[in-house]
Every structure is written in C-alpha cells, then in structure tokens.
Amino acid sequence: MAQTGGGNGGGRRRARRLAVLRSLFSRPSSAVGACVVAVFLLLLVFGPWIAPYSATQQILADARQGPTATHFFGTDHLGRDVFSRVILGTGSVVGLAGLGTVLAVVAGTLVGLVSGYRGGWLDEVLMRLFDSFLAIPALLLALLFLGALGPTRTGVALVILVVYMPIVARVVRSQVLATKSKAFVEMARLQGEPLGRILLREILPSALPALSVEAALRFSYAIFLVASLGFLGVGVGPPSPNWGLMVSEARNYATLTPWALFFPAGAIAVLVVAVNLTADGLKQSLLEPGRDRNRRGPATAVPLEPPADVEAAEALLSIRGLTVEYRQGDRWRGAVRDVSLDVEAGEVCAIVGESGSGKSTLALALLRHLSPSGRIRAGEAQLAGDDVLRLSPHALRNLRGRRVAFVPQDPQVSLNPSLRIGEQVAEQVRVHHGLGRRAAQQRVLRLLGDVDIADPPRVTASYPHQLSGGMQQRVMIAMALSGDPELLILDEPTTGLDVTTQAVVLDLLRSVIARRKAAALYVTHNLGVVAQIAQRVGVLYAGELVEEAPVENLFARPLHPYTYGLMASVPRLGELGREVVLAAMPGRIPALGEYAAECVFASRCPLAVDRCRAGRPALVRADENGRRVRCVRWEEIREQSAIPTWSVEEAAAEGAAAGGEVLVVQGLRKHFAGRRTLLSRGTPLRAVDGIDLRVEAGATLGLVGESGSGKSTLARAVAGLEFADAGELTLLGEPLSRALSERSRAQLRALQMVFQNPDEALNPYVAVGEALVRPLVRLRGTERNASRTECRRLLESVRLPGEYAQRRPEELSGGERQRVALARAFAAGPRLVILDEPTSSLDVSVQASLLNLLRALQRREGGAYLFISHDLAVVGHLADAVAVMYRGRLLEVGPTAGVFAPPYHPYTEALLASVPLADPRATQARVRLPELLGTEAGAVGCPFQARCPRKLGAVCEREDPPWRVTEGGGGLLCHIPLDELCTLQEPVFKFSGSRTCGGEG
Amino acid sequence: MARFLTRRLGFLVLTVVFTSMLVFAVTRLLPGDVARIVLGREAGEAALERFREQMGLLDPAPVQYGRWLGGFLRGDWGTSYSTGGEIRPLVMARLGNSVQLAGLTLLLAVPLGVLLGVLAGLYEGRWLDAAISVATLAVVGLPEFVTGLALVQVFAYVLGVLPATSSIRPGTPLLQALPSLILPALTATLVMLGYVARLTRAQVAEELRRPYVRTAVLKGLSWRRVVLRHVLRNALLPTVTVVAISFGWLIGGIIVIENVFNYPGLGRLLLFAIDRRDFPLLTAISMVVVLGVLLANLAADLLYAWLNPRIRLD
C-alpha cells in the first residue's frame, strides 16, 4: 500500500513536471530558448572532447586566419583557434555563472525561509540590510568585491553569491509570508511539527515555482555579470577563454580579425537571449498557468442563433433561449443554457443558485460583458423592444450605464482607487446626459443624497479607500441610478458586507427600486436575501433554469427537487436546536461540459427515475401565476405523493454531556500596535480586550461577531497561533501556556483547529493520506503500519472513501478539502476543536452536509467545539451556547435560546433584526445600526455606545457598563438594567424556543 | 504623508551609513600596500612607515572610517594617490559627463519604453504583444558591450555616420558633443527600453484585470476613455518607481558603456581607480554613485506617494 501510494504520488509529480515542460514547449519562443540553453549545457559538459584545440594553444602559422575548414571560427591575433575557445569558454562563463547562481539560490533560499518565517527583529534587520545592499548598482558592487576577493574563479563565484543572494532571499521571503499564514501551515504548527519540517515540507514546495523562475533570471544576470567583468578586464585574467575577455582582446584587432570579435559576442548574445526566453516561458508556465487560455485572443465571431423558445411576452425585459458558452481547450461549453425569463417594470426578480450555476454569467451576458473566453451563442434579450444581444457597439455603449445599470459584489475593488468619488459619479452623468461640470456636480450631490449618504459634499471629495464598505456600496448604487435606468442588474451586492450593513443596504435597494419603478435582476446565493427583496425567483442549476415562481409560492412549496433540497439545506434563524436536520444533497454541481442529455439534477435527485434520464425535461408552466418548473415529476411533488428527502445522518443518542469545562479563558488580551511614527505611538488595535469564556465538555460554544470584532484573534490566541499579551488559559483543568512552544504534547493533542478557506486547508504538495498520517504518528503514537488502516478509518469518519488517501488536494472539491482538514484535526483525538468559519466559503448544500458531519462527529467522539461564525442562523443551528463579540469585548453570553430571546443586549437585538429571514412571510422587528464614519471612541465607556440605538446618554460614554447576569447562567454588558430591557424589547422574531421576558413562552 | 516622509528619510540616512561602511570596508580590504603604491618600489622602510603614520593608516579601522566620513561630509574628499590631484573637482567633472549621458538615455528610453509597454499590455496575448515581448526580452539581457560594439559596427564602420569613440574633451558644449553622445546613449537606451517596457506591460495587463475596469466599461464609457482615464492612471503610477529603479541599472550599464566608447565619465574613472588601487578616489566615486541612486529612489518614492491618494491622504 505504501508503495502504491508512493508510486502514485511520484507518478503525479512526474505528470506535473511533464505538464510544465509541455507548456514550456507549446510556445515557440520558450521552446527555442530551452533548446539553445540545453545545447550550451551539453557544450559545458562535452566541450573538452569537442574542441579541436586547447584554449591556449597558439598556432602561429595560422594566426589571424578567417573561418576555414580547420578553424571554423578562424583564429585570433595570437593564432588561437576561436572555435575551441568559444566552446571551452562555456566553462568560464556558463559554468562559473551557474556555480555562482547555485550558491546564491541556496543561500538566498535559506535566508529567505528563516527570515520570513521567524519575522520580528531578525527579519526587520535583514531586510533593511538587503534594501541598502540593493541600492548599490550590482556591477559596482561586483567590482568592489572582486577587487577585495581577487580575480580568481572562486572570487567571481563568491561575487555572484554576494550580489544576488539578497534578491533571491527577498523573493523566497515574500513567498514564505504568503504561505506561512495558510491554514495547512498553521495546522502543522498546532500539531507540533518541528521547524525544519515546516519550512522544508510545508512552505518550501509552495515557493518553488517562483524560486525556479527567479533562479533562471539570476542565471541570466550572472552570465551577464561574468561576461561584463571579463570585458572590463577585472575577472579571471588572460588567457581565460571568457567570452567577454575575448571580445575585449579582439577589439584592438577588430579590422584584422573581426571573426574573433563576432563569435564570442554572438555566443553571449545567443545564450543570454535563450536563457531569458526560457525564464519567461517558465514564468508563464509556473506562475500564470491560467492565462494560456486567453492567449488565443478573443472569441471568433459566430452568428448568433435565434432563440429556440419563441413565446412572446409583454414584459419590460424578456430573455428568450439565452445560451452562453465558455471555451475550454478547443471546445465550447454552455455555462448558461436556453434560459428564458421575464422581468416586469418595478419588479425584483431574484436569480438564485450556487457557485457554478451560471448566475453571474447570465447577469453579465445581459450587458454583453463576458471574459475573453466567453461568447453568447444563442437567444435574444428584449429590453422595451430593443434586442440587447444584437445592438451595435455604439448603441450598446449608450445602453450600458444608462438604460441598464450594474451593481457588483465587491464595491471596494470596483471603484477606481485613484479618482475621487465625485469624479467617478460625475463622469457617468456627463457621458450620458451631456451635462456641464457645474450641473453634473449638482446632480451628483442629489444622487448621493438619494442613497442616504449623510454628507454628500464630503463624500464627493473622498477617495474610495476613505469610505466604509457600506458607503462604497451606496456610491455604486448612486452611480447605477444616475442614468435613471430601466433595468438594474445586481450581482450579490450585499455579499461582502456585514449583516448589519447588509440590512441597511437591502432597505435602501428596496426603496429605490420601488420609487423608480425600475426592473431589477438580483443575483444571489442567499435565500434569506431572496425572501426579503424579491417578488419573483428563478432557480438556476448548472446553467439551466429549473424553476421559476413568485417568491411566496416558491418558499411555501417548491416544485423542483433541487429547490426543495436548497431550502432544506439552509439553517433557519427561527429553528434552534438539535432536532432539526439539514438536507445534505450528495454529489456536486456538474462542471462545465459534464452535462449529459438528461435532467441536469438526475444524478443527485432522490426522486430520479428512468424517465428523468431519457432526455432533458422541458420547462413547463405549472400554474396561472407564471410558475414554471423543469421536472418530469413536478405534479407528484405538488400533490405530495413524492417528496424529495435525503438520507439523514445516523441519529445516534446524544452523548451525555461529560460535565465540567474543557476550556476556561480569563482576562485574555491581545492588542496590536498601531502604526507608529517618530512623533506618536499610534493607537493600538484592541483586538481582544479582556475576554472571559468557558467551553463545556462535549458542547458547542458559538462565537458570533462582525468583521473586525476580534473573534478570529480570540480563536488564534487560544490556539496559540497568536501570543496573547495577558490572560490565563485552562485546558482540561491544567494551566495552558499562551505560547504554543510551551505546550505539552498532550495539550497539543487535546486542542486542534480548522480554518475558513478550503483552498488553503491542505498542502497542495502533500497527498491526503500523508497529511493524515503525520498527526497519527506524531501525536497519537500510532505505529506506521497501523496508521494506514487508521487513516482509512479517519476518512470514513468524515464520509470520504478510503481511496482518497492517495489523492492530492487539487483533485478534491472545497467541501471535500474541509472534510479532510476536519479529519486531520480529529486524527489527534482532540477534546476541543476550534472551528473558525469552517463553512463560510462553501455553498449552502455543501455547508449543510459539513454541519451535519460536525454534529455527528461530536456525538461519536465527544469533543467540544468553539465555533466561530458571522452567520447567526448557523450558530443558532449548531451551538448550545452563544457568545456575542464586539470590538474585542464580549457583550453577551448565554445558552442559545436565551441569547436569541429578550432581554437582549442592544447589539444582539440589532444583529438578530438584521439577518434576512429565509421566509417571505416572517415578521421581524426592524432595528438598524448607523454606520460609523470615523473610528470609534477609545477605551473608556461602553464599547458599543457609538452605534447603540438604546444609548442612555453620557453614562455610556464615561463608565464601563456592568456585567448583568441573566437566567440560565448567561450575562450581558449594558448600563440598562435587565428588567428595563425586558419592558423595552419584544422578541425580534418568533422561533421554536421563543420566550418573552421572565418566563417560558 | 508626514509619517511616510519621516520613515522614508530615516531609511535614506540608514542606507547611506550602511553603504558608506560597506564601501569603506571593502576598499580597505583590497590587496596592496597603500604606502608602497604611493611611494613606489624604491622607497625605504622608514619612509613607508612615516607615510603610514602621516596618513593615519595605523589607526584602528573605526577611527579611520570616522575621519574619512567626516571629511567626505565636509566636502574634503582627499587627494588621489595616482594623480596627486584633488579628488572632488575630478569626480564632479566626470559626474557631469555621466549625468549628461544618463539624462539623454532617460529622455529616449522612458517615453519609448512606456509606449511599447502600454501597447503590449493593451493587446495582451495578441501578435503585437508577442512581438514587443520577444523583442524587449532579447535586448534586455544583452551585455552593453555586445550591443555597443554592434552599434559601432553598423553606424561607425558600415554607415560611417557617427564616431566610434566618444572621448570628448572637457568643456565641450553639449551641442557639439551630441554626435559622440548618440551611440553610447543608444546603447544604454536599448537595455533600459526593454526593462521599462516589460514592467509597464505587466502593470497595464494587471490593471486591465481589475474590477474597476469593468465598472468603467459598464458605465457606458468608450474604450478609449476607459484606458486613458482609468487604466493608465493606475498602471503608470508604478512606472515612476520603475524608472528610478532602472536608474541604478543604468549606472551599472554606463560603467561598461563608457569603457566601450572611451567616454570620460564616472565609470571610466572608477575602473581607473580600481586598476591603480587608488582607494580614496574609489571610495569617493562609489559614494557618489550610491548617493545618486538613493536620491533617484527617494525622488521616485515621493512622486509616487504624492500621486497616489492612498498614501498621500493617509
């Protein structure tokens, strides 16, 4: 087994190397370059046997002879054979430059690895030194050092080392910095791997591509340097056949023996250009592999086919038979296939789907803005009578930004960083309305006022980086509204925002769309947002519209099995506790080009029958409300004679809580230094500011907070990845050091962590099995022989087949990688696992199966979780107790049902009121928080007072609020007494365990 | 901005101190007995000893360094071992010549390099980009003496339109010296052109991929306007830094080029000083070169910071 594993791994490594070579040779420039370099390397090795004469042999009779049959390149003024000297010169140039490069690369790699990983003062000092070093021109530095070291071969090699080592070290260091904070490295640290192994096995492989490119470049510069030193006469002296030296000697006889000048100069030119071409090819193959596809230029024009579906419609926007394709290799694959949809004026139509569903492609196709590898193949999109897909470029430009406006997902990068907000908005106004500077300015101010920006003149004078994310998105919305568009296309406009900001922006969008009677196409993955903003919904799966319905009907009774599964996989805020089981659809969305001529959902559908595989079902009209569904069994689903259900995880008995605490945190503090100058110390960032916390054995504590609340820092400080400034940690009754290096092996075993980003969860260069065996052997002391079976057992415990041990991370989906990361954390048999947003980057259906798995694992293995999330519904679903964090402080702690019911901390109340409930008929209190324009007040008073809607007054600013103990062992930090909060607050929403103040509800 | 300035100036001072120590240390490590070099082979042991004492060569290295740095800062750069003359006027005269050459090169290389780079970046992946990329890649790595000699062959020997050497006499007015400046400047330009073009291309291509470009396109702006107003503004910002970095490169190249064309600049003087083991001269030239590079970097950083609102307003 070990052999097959190793053989397979080796085979894949070989395959990857082959792929790099193939890519290198697919471009003529780098192919020629690599071949020429190879020839020179062969000459370096076999030169002494090829050269007919020695480098110094003077054939006086043949002196100053032009190229002949005996002397291919002629002879020089001393009668030496130029051909032989050029060939033997490879030793003086290529060999020496190569030796120097190897020295520089090895030394630079070591220095870069250690400096980057260690950081701190060592790194600071080294990098400052290197910066100073690099201020000296390389040739000057080389001249000075060579003077000191002497013009010997060793001297020259050492000079190359000295001159280029800092550059290599910088490159490696930057790679280390990019890699060392990745989850798989931090996991290795948490599992107590030794420093050398972390550097060489976990970090170095990720640095190798950039390092190889840099090494090739350094080789080219080293050749350049050796030749130049030779030419200047300061390198290894005559009679060395250094080409540079040969050129400089032959210069004086240029008219007599031009060949003696030409051939060595030509050798340098050819070699240097070849090395550069190779380095450039390596760079493209190793560092920019994805760009190859775009290198073939834009898509060739194909005639746009008319739609297959020709049902006429009166809607403002009517899309018919829209098909969009992407090029993959030599084939075109449909990313959006035959989509037909109507949107009425004043209506918000949501397009909901998971990643890979084609929803963003659909949105951008309506603006005819696709990546160079995409094209619109068929269909039409009528906007008030004009077919958008067939407009001339000029008409298209007039349409964009004026009749159809776009609001993107990420406002921060979607605004031009070097133009003022005012200029960016005014530009659009002026282009489309031909207004003058003054009039445009007025209109910009009015537009910004329309999107509830408090101080428009100030905002127009600002640059994007000076605004918060919510403000930036308001600006994007103002810009979109500036042309008074008939159609708004919104692509996940609130996805990057905090939940309280999202609520405010959703309110704004709802009101501007209603006011302007525009049609809106709202693309999102979030069912809560759909329920709160849309009137109609289209569900997109693998590029096909599988269902379309008015929002109430869709949420009340989905007709397509996929919609069914999607709804059942989302945790609802109103459904607390452990009795709810999420639907976990098996499998994944078929990738581009994997579709067969059957129902796209058949492979994952619990209701699939032979009929489903006979052909692609049609989108049929299901009722008079314009409801449509693409499923052959939809009538059975409507009649409830067939209900899609997914097999449920085994319902093992609740493990009785072992009692006692796994983890106790007391007074934990971690401040980050503010940016200091000579004049001021800077204000420190109080990331974690005195936190007390307990995690019960076998239970889950959910930690919620918005971005910047310090929840991840808290987790990392507990894990030991950040060294906390102060505080006491107790793990299983024993004191736990704040420093990772001082923790015992037993403590390392007991405390493990899983991180957010599935792409970084596993080392891309280590097979799954190897990653799992390490903690088994190191922390559990499993025998190598037994570890294979144990590894299989681990994989099965996270519902992955045992064969996955031989797979590499690149072959796994995001959800599968998170499962392996979970298995790796559980390999050591931990008592507490810190989960830092483990499902936040995953699609909802994948999230559902991971949440189910987390619960099953806890039942079986009995570990406790510290579960960090910004998603209150997920926390409510999983956690027994909840802690709410804001600006480094805990504002409220308690059992989940208690925290989700009054009395609330005013912040908790606002958070709960901001979550978009995935139910269009749900009622929810409306509490909104203002966005902050500046930074919040310092350390005095209540941390939340600047945004608190229930602020009492001066007391909140001046005095630290008291910790008020609530029922069920929780508490909250507020100046308002509990009974007063009770009279002020109603439950934000109704839920299963809903209570009113002072009693069970 | 104030914070940026203080940090930047602090770094400049630190670098000057460090490089001066490095230069001083390395020049003292050069083999050869200074007294012997200056006084000649016939000098007696007593005379050598007296000379060493006079010149302070017997003092500990830090003392010598302090004395030298103090002198350098006061403008007293000492006398040359080999010519016996004052170092400062000599270096300054040669510096003037080198700056002339460098200036002409920048004037040629930067606009042309930026233009080629922008074109290649805008047409990334098309034939124009491929042609520019391969061409610049070819010239960027060639040693200056290869390109220089090739240019001499073509323009001086084959065409006979320009002089092969550029040994201008001191005090020649710029206009008269211009013909002999063209070939060296052209040589330096070829190397620098590729460098500037490649970095500019990378910047433009990268900016084109940024989401704000999509925003600009979807606003309904013409492609011309998107490029001129949005893309170039951000893409050319780093080019300022590129030019400054390539300045150090240029100086290295100029050492070789001056040697190829016998141009009386700082580079030739440097080689002369190394050849003659003229330590005070060597140290002075090295310091002048390093200061030049550092000041160019500083100017570029300040310009960059001033043009970039994210730094200016921070």
Side-chain angles (χ1 to χ4, degrees):
Chain A
M1 178 117 184
Q3 272 74 23
T4 54
N8 252 334
R12 287 206 189 82
R13 263 194 297 279
R14 252 194 313 282
R16 199 158 41 212
R17 269 201 292 267
L18 273 177
V20 169
L21 275 184
R22 206 175 303 128
S23 160
L24 199 61
F25 280 90
S26 70
R27 276 176 298 269
S29 57
S30 51
V32 170
C35 288
V36 172
V37 173
V39 168
F40 274 94
L41 290 178
L42 287 177
L43 286 181
L44 173 66
V45 177
F46 298 106
W49 289 278
I50 297 172
Y53 303 91
S54 85
T56 51
Q57 187 183 354
Q58 299 186 1
I59 310 140
L60 291 174
D62 293 349
R64 302 182 185 181
Q65 221 179 56
T68 59
T70 29
H71 303 290
F72 302 133
F73 292 175
T75 59
D76 66 3
H77 58 286
L78 295 177
R80 294 173 298 189
D81 181 49
V82 176
F83 178 70
S84 301
R85 283 175 65 75
V86 167
I87 285 184
L88 294 169
T90 48
S92 310
V93 178
V94 184
L96 203 50
L99 176 65
T101 309
V102 169
L103 290 177
V105 166
V106 170
T109 304
L110 287 177
V111 174
L113 276 176
V114 172
S115 175
Y117 188 74
R118 268 290 155 83
W121 64 266
L122 174 79
D123 185 47
E124 185 85 2
V125 168
L126 274 177
M127 288 307 124
R128 284 276 165 268
L129 277 181
F130 287 173
D131 279 347
S132 310
F133 222 74
L134 295 175
I136 310 175
L139 189 63
L140 174 61
L141 201 59
L143 286 173
L144 289 175
F145 271 95
L146 200 60
L149 293 167
T152 58
R153 291 175 72 90
T154 327
V156 175
L158 286 177
V159 161
I160 297 172
L161 165 71
V162 168
V163 173
Y164 292 138
M165 186 274 276
I167 301 177
V168 177
R170 269 203 161 281
V171 170
V172 172
R173 174 181 176 270
S174 70
Q175 294 292 317
V176 172
L177 290 186
T179 311
K180 81 167 180 182
S181 58
K182 288 193 175 166
F184 63 86
V185 179
E186 303 207 307
M187 265 188 114
R189 286 177 60 198
L190 288 179
Q191 300 190 331
E193 295 284 6
L195 177 68
R197 190 181 160 94
I198 288 182
L199 286 181
L200 297 180
R201 191 96 178 104
E202 304 287 347
I203 293 181
L204 186 60
S206 298
L208 275 181
L211 184 60
S212 335
V213 173
E214 192 56 33
L217 275 179
R218 285 307 125 206
F219 183 47
S220 152
Y221 289 131
I223 293 168
F224 181 106
L225 197 63
V226 170
S228 293
L229 290 174
F231 176 78
L232 293 176
V234 289
V236 181
S240 157
N242 179 326
W243 301 328
L245 186 60
M246 288 168 71
V247 169
S248 114
E249 286 176 338
R251 263 180 85 194
N252 302 326
Y253 307 92
T255 42
L256 280 173
T257 57
W259 46 86
L261 186 64
F262 175 78
F263 287 107
I268 297 170
V270 170
L271 176 61
V272 168
V273 171
V275 175
N276 275 340
L277 289 175
T278 314
D280 194 55
L282 269 182
K283 183 171 154 216
Q284 289 179 26
S285 306
L286 288 170
L287 302 182
E288 304 156 357
R291 295 199 189 162
D292 272 5
R293 227 164 294 141
N294 297 345
R295 286 206 150 248
R296 306 184 190 184
T300 42
V302 287
L304 189 55
E305 288 170 14
D309 175 358
V310 281
E311 193 183 344
E314 300 297 306
L316 177 75
L317 171 74
S318 71
I319 307 167
R320 288 292 171 272
L322 179 64
T323 297
V324 185
E325 299 178 327
Y326 285 111
R327 182 163 47 203
Q328 236 179 21
D330 296 325
R331 317 221 7 205
W332 289 91
R333 315 279 199 189
V336 169
R337 293 186 312 286
D338 192 20
V339 168
S340 300
L341 197 68
D342 290 336
V343 188
E344 307 284 349
E347 179 186 60
V348 179
C349 175
I351 298 292
V352 64
E354 298 180 276
S355 46
S357 64
K359 55 189 191 301
S360 287
T361 301
L362 170 65
L364 286 168
L366 294 176
L367 284 151
R368 301 240 312 258
H369 187 78
L370 295 170
S371 78
S373 59
R375 70 176 183 194
I376 299 171
R377 186 73 181 91
E380 59 180 46
Q382 300 280 352
L383 180 69
D386 294 318
D387 185 356
V388 176
L389 305 186
R390 290 174 175 79
L391 287 179
S392 70
H394 179 76
L396 180 64
R397 218 159 53 225
N398 280 332
L399 176 100
R400 286 172 172 171
R402 187 175 188 171
R403 296 181 61 195
V404 183
F406 181 72
V407 180
Q409 171 170 1
D410 199 341
Q412 199 192 343
V413 292
S414 295
L415 287 163
N416 188 329
S418 57
L419 287 176
R420 290 177 197 276
I421 297 294
E423 296 173 81
Q424 302 196 40
V425 184
E427 175 181 54
Q428 191 166 5
V429 172
R430 295 183 64 183
V431 164
H432 289 305
H433 298 272
L435 293 180
R437 193 169 288 274
R438 178 69 58 84
Q441 183 68 18
Q442 288 306 316
R443 199 170 147 84
V444 168
L445 292 177
R446 210 169 51 238
L447 279 166
L448 292 183
D450 283 354
V451 293
D452 303 336
I453 282 176
D455 187 359
R458 207 191 70 127
V459 170
T460 50
S462 305
Y463 286 94
H465 75 275
Q466 296 172 306
L467 305 179
S468 69
M471 290 290 265
Q472 289 170 342
Q473 195 57 295
R474 280 170 206 268
V475 169
M476 293 302 298
I477 294 169
M479 223 146 71
L481 295 178
S482 70
D484 225 344
E486 297 153 51
L487 174 65
L488 271 173
I489 295 178
L490 304 118
D491 188 5
E492 307 250 15
T494 63
T495 300
L497 304 176
D498 271 325
V499 64
T500 56
T501 314
Q502 166 171 283
V504 178
V505 172
L506 279 178
D507 288 348
L508 170 69
L509 281 172
R510 222 181 341 243
S511 87
V512 295
I513 292 169
R515 210 163 31 187
R516 301 206 175 216
K517 299 261 183 295
L521 196 70
Y522 195 111
V523 171
T524 182
H525 70 281
N526 186 328
L527 287 174
V529 169
V530 172
Q532 296 306 313
I533 198 160
Q535 281 91 51
R536 248 157 17 88
V537 189
V539 181
L540 214 56
Y541 181 81
E544 289 182 14
L545 195 64
V546 294
E547 181 165 8
E548 188 209 338
V551 67
E552 279 90 6
N553 302 12
L554 189 86
F555 278 84
R557 178 162 305 163
L559 291 185
H560 194 282
Y562 174 64
T563 319
Y564 231 98
L566 203 58
M567 301 255 173
S569 64
V570 188
R572 311 283 172 113
L573 196 54
E575 295 171 344
L576 294 188
R578 306 194 149 220
E579 68 277 11
V580 181
V581 177
L582 303 174
M585 290 180 269
R588 55 184 174 81
I589 282 197
L592 219 54
E594 277 179 11
Y595 327 112
E598 56 176 32
C599 169
V600 276
F601 190 59
S603 61
R604 302 173 72 187
C605 183
L607 299 184
V609 289
D610 288 345
R611 265 191 299 158
C612 304
R613 305 204 170 83
R616 180 166 166 262
L619 190 66
V620 296
R621 188 168 292 276
D623 67 14
E624 295 313 304
N625 297 329
R627 217 176 161 170
R628 294 184 299 164
V629 59
R630 197 188 286 282
C631 176
V632 293
R633 300 185 67 184
W634 69 272
E635 282 160 314
E636 295 167 63
I637 296 172
R638 189 180 58 183
E639 311 306 333
Q640 302 271 296
S641 57
I643 300 171
T645 44
W646 279 266
S647 61
V648 169
E649 309 282 343
E650 90 275 27
E654 277 305 299
E661 286 131 354
V662 206
L663 176 76
V664 180
V665 177
Q666 281 169 304
L668 196 70
R669 207 181 67 208
K670 175 73 190 174
H671 292 185
F672 293 103
R675 287 165 65 189
R676 271 185 300 181
T677 62
L678 288 177
L679 303 175
S680 79
R681 294 282 303 276
T683 38
L685 173 70
R686 301 159 163 272
V688 175
D689 201 15
I691 294 274
D692 298 323
L693 207 63
R694 280 154 201 281
V695 184
E696 307 283 334
T700 300
L701 174 66
L703 182 62
V704 295
E706 296 180 285
S707 53
S709 62
K711 55 190 191 302
S712 281
T713 309
L714 171 60
R716 296 170 57 79
V718 170
L721 293 170
E722 297 279 358
F723 182 64
D725 304 333
E728 277 173 34
L729 301 171
T730 313
L731 185 70
L732 297 165
E734 307 257 326
L736 180 71
S737 168
R738 280 175 282 142
L740 187 62
S741 56
E742 288 166 22
R743 296 182 178 178
S744 70
R745 176 159 298 202
Q747 287 177 325
L748 291 177
R749 267 187 70 172
L751 178 58
Q752 288 291 316
M753 185 161 172
V754 175
F755 300 81
Q756 173 173 0
N757 190 344
D759 295 334
E760 298 178 354
L762 300 174
N763 187 341
Y765 299 91
V766 173
V768 167
E770 173 73 13
L772 293 179
V773 164
R774 284 298 295 178
L776 285 174
V777 173
R778 270 194 67 76
L779 291 178
R780 277 251 284 260
T782 315
E783 293 283 323
R784 267 268 162 196
N785 301 340
S787 68
R788 295 280 160 187
T789 20
E790 188 61 6
C791 173
R792 184 174 274 270
R793 191 195 65 78
L794 270 173
L795 281 171
E796 276 157 9
S797 77
V798 294
R799 314 264 187 282
L800 289 175
E803 301 87 76
Y804 269 46
Q806 274 120 58
R807 298 236 179 151
R808 298 203 155 243
E810 65 200 20
E811 301 167 86
L812 270 52
S813 72
E816 288 171 337
R817 280 180 219 176
Q818 283 299 66
R819 281 165 189 267
V820 175
L822 208 58
R824 190 175 171 193
F826 271 96
R831 304 318 303 153
L832 172 65
V833 181
I834 301 175
L835 301 153
D836 190 0
E837 306 251 13
T839 64
S840 300
S841 312
L842 303 175
D843 274 319
V844 284
S845 64
V846 184
Q847 166 175 285
S849 63
L850 204 70
L851 289 177
N852 288 345
L853 173 66
L854 279 172
R855 213 187 248 179
L857 275 174
Q858 190 170 46
R859 278 180 191 147
R860 202 170 45 230
E861 317 267 330
Y865 293 146
L866 176 57
F867 184 88
I868 295 157
S869 179
H870 68 280
D871 188 332
L872 280 100
V874 169
V875 167
H877 173 76
L878 202 67
D880 304 291
V882 177
V884 181
M885 201 166 167
Y886 186 80
R887 299 193 67 225
R889 303 279 294 273
L890 283 188
L891 297 188
E892 183 166 5
V893 180
T896 308
V899 172
F900 280 31
Y904 305 107
H905 187 279
Y907 179 58
T908 315
E909 185 184 14
L911 275 181
L912 289 170
S914 299
V915 178
L917 296 181
D919 179 0
R921 285 171 307 181
T923 51
Q924 188 177 18
R926 192 174 176 284
V927 185
R928 296 291 181 258
L929 295 184
E931 285 167 80
L932 284 174
L933 293 177
T935 45
E936 284 182 68
V940 211
C942 173
F944 185 54
Q945 51 94 4
R947 297 176 75 191
C948 184
R950 298 197 185 274
K951 185 174 170 181
L952 295 174
V955 62
C956 298
E957 290 163 27
R958 262 185 271 117
E959 281 173 42
D960 229 21
W963 182 255
R964 301 187 186 275
V965 176
T966 53
E967 279 175 61
L972 54 84
L973 192 73
C974 189
H975 281 293
I976 310 173
L978 291 179
D979 47 355
E980 209 166 306
L981 276 174
C982 273
T983 52
L984 288 169
Q985 291 169 334
E986 284 294 308
V988 173
F989 57 89
K990 299 276 182 214
F991 65 93
S992 48
S994 183
R995 296 179 303 180
T996 48
C997 267
E1000 301 297 313
Chain B
M1 188 77 180
R3 184 163 46 203
F4 175 79
L5 258 179
T6 47
R7 223 182 30 217
R8 195 60 191 71
L9 285 174
F11 173 64
L12 180 80
V13 172
L14 209 78
T15 310
V16 170
V17 170
F18 171 74
T19 42
S20 69
M21 279 159 78
L22 187 74
V23 164
F24 185 83
V26 168
T27 48
R28 294 307 127 141
L29 282 176
L30 291 176
D33 180 357
V34 174
R36 181 67 75 189
I37 293 170
V38 174
L39 297 181
R41 206 167 298 168
E42 284 83 44
E45 197 51 47
L48 289 173
E49 200 54 34
R50 204 164 48 246
F51 177 85
R52 289 190 189 114
E53 207 159 318
Q54 255 173 17
M55 301 299 286
L57 293 174
L58 299 175
D59 292 336
V63 175
Q64 289 193 43
Y65 169 73
R67 194 162 50 221
W68 165 75
L69 189 66
F72 186 84
L73 292 177
R74 278 197 309 276
D76 170 17
W77 294 3
T79 50
S80 158
Y81 291 164
S82 45
T83 69
E86 278 273 314
I87 290 178
R88 201 153 66 105
L90 179 64
V91 169
M92 283 308 175
R94 296 299 192 90
L95 176 66
N97 286 344
S98 286
V99 166
Q100 231 171 43
L101 182 55
L104 189 59
T105 306
L106 285 177
L107 232 53
L108 287 171
V110 173
L112 205 57
V114 168
L115 183 70
L116 287 177
V118 168
L119 281 178
L122 288 179
Y123 291 93
E124 195 197 8
R126 319 275 188 88
W127 66 265
L128 183 64
D129 172 38
I132 292 177
S133 292
V134 171
T136 52
L137 203 59
V139 291
V140 80
L142 284 184
E144 291 82 0
F145 66 91
V146 175
T147 31
L149 289 173
L151 287 176
V152 167
Q153 285 296 328
V154 175
F155 287 97
Y157 296 137
V158 178
L159 298 176
V161 289
L162 289 169
T165 61
S166 313
S167 47
I168 48 167
R169 263 193 306 258
T172 318
L174 180 61
L175 219 58
Q176 220 176 323
L178 202 58
S180 41
L181 271 174
I182 289 179
L183 277 186
L186 212 55
T187 310
T189 299
L190 273 185
V191 174
M192 201 171 150
L193 179 77
Y195 193 64
V196 174
R198 289 188 66 75
L199 285 165
T200 307
R201 171 193 179 274
Q203 283 302 332
V204 171
E206 193 180 318
E207 287 302 321
L208 278 177
R209 271 183 257 279
R210 294 198 191 278
Y212 73 78
V213 177
R214 179 177 73 184
T215 308
V217 169
L218 295 185
K219 273 179 180 179
L221 306 183
S222 63
W223 182 238
R224 228 173 79 101
R225 198 178 160 85
V226 171
V227 168
L228 290 179
R229 195 174 149 85
H230 289 270
V231 178
L232 290 191
R233 198 188 183 97
N234 289 300
L236 294 188
L237 210 57
T239 307
V240 176
T241 325
V242 168
V243 171
I245 297 169
S246 55
F247 190 73
W249 184 289
L250 185 59
I251 288 187
I254 276 180
I255 298 175
V256 179
I257 290 170
E258 290 180 353
N259 203 52
V260 172
F261 291 94
N262 272 324
Y263 183 81
L266 219 48
R268 288 244 304 154
L269 193 62
L270 178 79
L271 284 174
F272 172 81
I274 289 178
D275 195 43
R276 299 293 172 90
R277 306 253 171 260
D278 193 340
F279 304 134
L281 184 58
L282 182 56
T283 331
I285 297 170
S286 306
M287 284 309 292
V288 167
V289 168
V290 169
L291 277 176
V293 173
L294 286 177
L295 289 178
N297 282 345
L298 179 69
D301 275 7
L302 293 185
L303 192 61
Y304 178 81
W306 183 70
L307 289 173
N308 186 345
R310 269 169 294 189
I311 301 179
R312 184 175 69 224
L313 301 174
D314 201 13

